[in-house]
């Protein structure tokens, strides 16, 4: 089967709707974590649930409450997100698996994860040293590993593994506006979907999400480049390893 990988939606319902309108009808949908953490969590989760068995979801680092992480604004945003979700939706998110294994046409057995196969918080980037990636991926049987978390698309190798990041639907760091995703089978095809960001910005402001003009909307309207963000994430990853 073909698989459309929709990672890091982050509660951006307008972006998700635009992507869903472009996904081929025969493709399975894989939501690779961080589905709801953003301005429209309840509505986004409802939309994903409405897709039924066509959608497969895995857990991201922001899909469960973590009150001790980040500054005051981050904590206010998490409280907003999880206050908007129903108990049923929170339970669904908590029960999501950390990885999925799917046979993809032309690509074979494929492992899907959020951060890395061993930890949804782990940072993998286009500039990660091959030695670090080979260590992280050691023991993974599947040749192809598809991740998210760092919000930029890439396709690279690390030893015998091929590592693909499908990008972010709702909060991409690509230096260009849009919603980013990937279509797998029989090749890896990176996609970018345009949507009405001005109208989406107004909907985000009206959602009640705390201080969207602080960083969310500037990043959507004038996104940083993938190269810049990859370097920042990689420094974070190395600092974590060193500590």
């Amino acid at each position: 089967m073909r698989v459309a990988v929709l990672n890091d939606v982050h509660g951006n319902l307008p972006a998700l709707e635009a992507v869903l309108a472009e996904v081929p009808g025969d493709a399975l949908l894989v939501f690779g974590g961080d589905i709801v953490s953003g301005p429209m969590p309840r509505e986004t989760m409802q939309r994903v649930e409405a897709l039924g068995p066509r959608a497969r979801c895995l857990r991201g680092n922001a899909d469960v409450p973590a009150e001790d992480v980040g500054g005051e604004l981050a904590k206010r945003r998490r409280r907003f997100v999880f206050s908007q979700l129903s108990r049923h939706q929170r339970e669904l998110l908590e029960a999501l698996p950390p990885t999925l294994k799917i046979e993809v046409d032309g690509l074979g057995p494929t492992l899907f994860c959020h951060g890395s196969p061993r930890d949804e918080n782990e940072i993998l980037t286009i500039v990660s040293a091959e030695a670090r990636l080979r260590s992280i991926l050691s023991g993974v049987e599947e040749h192809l590993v598809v991740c998210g978390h760092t919000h930029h698309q890439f396709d690279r190798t690390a030893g015998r593994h091929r590592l693909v990041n499908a990008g972010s639907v709702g909060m991409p760091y690509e230096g260009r506006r849009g919603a980013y995703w990937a279509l797998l089978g029989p090749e890896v095809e990176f996609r970018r979907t345009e949507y009405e960001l001005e109208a989406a910005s107004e909907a985000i402001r009206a959602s009640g999400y705390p201080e969207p003009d602080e960083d969310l909307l500037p990043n959507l309207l004038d996104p940083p480049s993938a190269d810049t963000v990859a370097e920042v994430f990689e420094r974070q990853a190395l600092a974590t390893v060193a500590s």
Side-chain angles (χ1 to χ4, degrees), residues 213-236:
D213 287 293
E214 176 68 21
D215 51 8
L216 173 58
L217 292 179
N219 282 335
L220 288 177
L221 296 169
D222 186 19
S225 72
D227 290 344
T228 298
V229 170
E231 293 288 351
V232 171
F233 274 129
E234 193 63 25
R235 287 196 295 271
Q236 292 178 4

Side-chain angles (χ1 to χ4, degrees), residues 13-50:
L13 184 61
L16 175 59
E17 293 285 14
V19 169
L20 290 175
E22 292 190 357
V23 172
D26 65 338
L28 179 73
L29 297 160
V30 170
F31 288 86
D34 286 5
I35 299 169
V36 301
S37 181
M40 304 169 197
R42 181 180 65 256
E43 299 88 345
T44 300
M45 194 64 187
Q46 287 172 340
R47 186 68 178 92
V48 173
E49 290 180 81

Side-chain angles (χ1 to χ4, degrees), residues 68-242:
D68 60 339
V69 177
E72 182 55 35
L73 178 56
K75 293 176 182 178
R76 286 171 54 208
R77 286 174 169 174
R78 278 195 296 276
R79 288 194 292 269
F80 169 84
V81 167
F82 288 97
S83 71
Q84 296 293 303
L85 299 173
S86 69
R87 178 177 178 181
H88 170 70
Q89 290 173 330
R90 292 194 299 270
E91 290 174 347
L92 284 178
L93 289 168
E94 290 171 3
L96 291 178
T99 60
L100 292 170
K101 299 179 182 181
I102 298 173
E103 182 83 21
V104 181
D105 288 348
L107 296 170
T110 301
L111 181 67
F112 297 84
C113 60
H114 182 66
S116 80
R118 65 187 187 183
D119 187 345
E120 58 260 35
N121 288 284
E122 192 155 36
I123 293 171
L124 311 180
T125 75
I126 185 63
V127 297
S128 296
E130 181 169 337
R132 184 168 80 86
L133 293 182
R134 291 179 68 163
S135 175
I136 291 168
L137 298 174
S138 66
V140 174
E141 296 179 358
E142 293 78 11
H143 165 65
L144 178 59
V145 177
V146 180
C147 65
H149 189 42
T150 53
H151 297 214
H152 68 292
Q153 294 175 333
F154 62 80
D155 184 352
R156 58 168 297 179
T157 58
R160 68 178 186 86
H161 291 100
R162 182 181 184 182
L163 179 65
V164 168
N165 189 312
S168 170
V169 170
M171 197 185 301
Y173 303 139
E174 303 282 0
R176 187 182 180 191
R177 293 182 177 189
Y180 290 75
W181 53 290
L183 183 63
L184 310 184
E187 304 294 338
V188 174
E189 182 181 346
F190 288 132
R191 296 287 190 96
R192 183 184 73 90
T193 298
E194 295 184 352
Y195 65 104
E196 294 293 335
L197 261 167
E198 284 69 23
S201 297
E202 291 308 309
I204 289 170
R205 289 190 180 97
S207 69
Y209 188 69
E211 301 183 39
D213 287 293
E214 176 68 21
D215 51 8
L216 173 58
L217 292 179
N219 282 335
L220 288 177
L221 296 169
D222 186 19
S225 72
D227 290 344
T228 298
V229 170
E231 293 288 351
V232 171
F233 274 129
E234 193 63 25
R235 287 196 295 271
Q236 292 178 4
L238 295 177
T240 301
V241 172

